[in-house]
Amino acid sequence: METVMISREIRLASRPKGTPTAGNFLLAQSEVRPPQDQQVLVHNLFMSVDPYMRGRMNEGMSYVPSFELGEVLDGGAVGEVIESRSKELKPGDIVTSSYGWREYFVASPKELHPVSHGIQPLSVYLGALGMTGMTAWAGLKLGEVKAGDVVYISGAAGAVGNVAGQLAKMRGCRVIGSAGSIEKVIFLREECGFDIAFNYKVGPVVEQLKIEAPDGIDVYFDNVGGQTLEAALSALRVHGRIVACGSISGYNDENPQPGPSNLFNVITKRLTMKGLIVSDWLDRQGEFEKEVGGYYRAGKLKNKETVVEGIDQAVGAFIGLFAGRNVGKMVVKLASHSEH
Ligand SMILES: NC(=O)c1ccc[n+]([C@@H]2O[C@H](COP(=O)([O-])OP(=O)(O)OC[C@H]3O[C@@H](n4cnc5c(N)ncnc54)[C@H](OP(=O)(O)O)[C@@H]3O)[C@@H](O)[C@H]2O)c1
């Protein structure tokens, strides 16, 4: 008789209105059948929660399909192969996948990306060496960031922001970051090497930028949008660049706020604003892994993360992103390596 695994998973129970609440989600169980020919069974060790998932909880297509009501969510995960019926992977291999929000799953090797065990913690493949690290790396390329630039990064203590700042420092930039608490400001200054960091909650960003960057900025790496984008438009120098990466300040708005009142700066200062979608850069993943993986292995790049334990805590971790409960990448630990 074949053994059926029981896997706990998180389903979308209802579409959030405004900020998501625990009631929008359901912790449920499903049966996972043994792998068939050319398939493997994977036990997830870590799963990612990310701000972009909020958009997928709304109805209608954005740049990724929306989550289906009543269905298990998906997202980035790192797991261990525990049973294999494929020559390409063997038990004990570590793989990344988009089968997050569940404990076990069956997939074919072509849906999985094998990674080295040698790099620890394995959650780094969701952070500095994963999707968010790659977003930071791609964003600096998109913004043509070069030595000597003054680069301002919002959401700087988060997953994308802290890596963007560390990489910009390695490129020889002067780096300014903003984040939502004094602990995060200290983290940016003392652990990530930011030249300047400030708390955007203690006063208007436009005023703080006037003090911290009196001669203006060359690049704005935008993770939050809203009033912070408006402040950066004022601070940018002639021919400045904006990397439009995220706009988290508006993700839970039921009625979107009007755009920046000072967009005219784009004309007067001849600014360039480029939108970034990290999946457009997948054909350069090898280049990213070589360069940024090299920095990590050499101890030049810090992988800061906030780890929450257990699938029953995953929803809280996701909601926590909108309250700034993470420093670095927010990840959920589901199991330890090689429990089998
Ligand atoms: N374009 C792409 O391909 C791509 C890929 C990945 C991520 N992104 C975007 O990049 C941004 C950062 O993503 P991440 O994964 O690195 O998340 P993250 O920064 O690790 O986590 C979210 C952080 O956003 C901040 N935040 C929450 N609400 C805010 C508000 N109303 N105003 C200002 N800050 C707020 C919080 O930090 P504080 O304590 O500092 O407020 C929170 O810790 C997001 O906008 C995300 O959607 C884009």
Side-chain angles (χ1 to χ4, degrees):
M1 208 181 75
E2 60 180 27
T3 328
V4 173
M5 307 280 301
I6 299 297
S7 175
R8 288 183 297 165
E9 62 187 32
I10 306 289
R11 299 180 189 161
L12 185 65
S14 56
R15 300 201 182 279
K17 291 195 171 57
T19 304
T21 64
N24 296 126
F25 305 90
L26 178 71
L27 176 62
Q29 290 189 347
S30 70
E31 290 184 351
V32 179
R33 305 221 152 260
Q36 302 298 302
D37 199 27
Q38 303 307 320
Q39 288 186 322
V40 296
L41 173 65
V42 179
H43 187 190
N44 273 335
L45 306 176
F46 293 97
M47 57 160 270
S48 184
V49 289
D50 297 277
Y52 80 89
M53 293 169 173
R54 174 65 186 85
R56 297 187 65 191
M57 290 168 191
N58 295 333
E59 204 152 13
M61 176 79 185
S62 74
Y63 67 98
V64 266
S66 63
F67 292 125
E68 298 285 338
L69 270 184
E71 297 292 327
V72 58
L73 303 174
D74 60 61
V78 184
E80 178 180 0
V81 174
I82 55 169
E83 201 181 325
S84 176
R85 292 195 55 196
S86 157
K87 285 202 199 82
E88 289 171 58
L89 291 168
K90 58 181 187 317
D93 283 351
I94 302 297
V95 291
T96 59
S97 77
S98 58
Y99 285 96
W101 296 96
R102 70 200 77 191
E103 293 177 309
Y104 297 90
F105 66 91
V106 167
S108 70
K110 63 175 185 301
E111 299 174 271
L112 308 170
H113 181 62
V115 291
S116 160
H117 305 79
I119 294 187
Q120 294 289 334
L122 291 170
S123 48
V124 72
Y125 293 113
L126 302 176
L129 303 190
M131 185 275 281
T132 55
M134 188 155 156
T135 303
W137 176 84
L140 296 184
K141 291 206 179 295
L142 189 71
E144 297 171 32
V145 171
K146 56 182 190 311
D149 281 341
V150 177
V151 179
Y152 166 49
I153 302 167
S154 59
V160 174
N162 89 84
V163 175
Q166 293 184 67
L167 295 178
K169 279 307 296 176
M170 286 183 217
R171 280 164 178 62
C173 302
R174 181 168 174 75
V175 180
I176 303 171
S178 57
S181 73
I182 185 65
E183 292 75 20
K184 292 185 181 188
V185 165
I186 292 168
F187 160 68
L188 293 172
R189 286 192 196 137
E190 295 186 359
E191 294 186 52
C192 300
F194 280 57
D195 297 286
I196 291 164
F198 63 86
N199 180 350
Y200 70 89
K201 291 183 178 166
V202 302
V205 175
V206 69
E207 298 304 327
Q208 298 201 66
L209 278 178
K210 274 185 201 156
I211 297 164
E212 305 296 1
D215 299 324
I217 60 176
D218 299 295
V219 177
Y220 172 45
F221 196 119
D222 190 14
N223 286 315
V224 309
Q227 289 183 354
T228 313
L229 172 59
E230 193 166 292
L233 281 163
S234 293
L236 277 155
R237 293 174 179 161
V238 169
H239 296 305
R241 289 95 76 201
I242 300 171
V243 178
C245 174
S247 197
I248 193 168
S249 69
Y251 290 177
N252 291 320
D253 286 350
E254 291 189 67
N255 300 305
Q257 300 291 312
S261 64
N262 57 351
L263 203 57
F264 194 58
N265 278 295
V266 172
I267 300 163
T268 56
K269 297 189 209 167
R270 283 80 90 201
L271 304 177
T272 308
M273 183 171 187
K274 289 187 187 169
L276 169 69
I277 294 290
V278 64
S279 52
D280 293 349
W281 292 69
L282 280 181
D283 59 341
R284 295 181 70 176
Q285 190 165 356
E287 192 188 331
F288 157 73
E289 285 172 0
K290 194 162 172 244
E291 183 186 336
V292 181
Y295 297 143
Y296 184 68
R297 282 189 297 274
K300 293 181 183 162
L301 181 78
K302 175 176 271 296
N303 174 55
K304 181 77 172 181
E305 53 188 23
T306 299
V307 185
V308 167
E309 294 224 12
I311 195 157
D312 52 337
Q313 302 301 315
V315 167
F318 171 69
I319 295 171
L321 292 170
F322 301 97
R325 284 200 207 105
N326 57 309
V327 186
K329 178 79 189 93
M330 183 79 103
V331 292
V332 183
K333 183 173 180 188
L334 300 181
S336 296
H337 188 197
S338 278
E339 280 177 351
H340 303 271

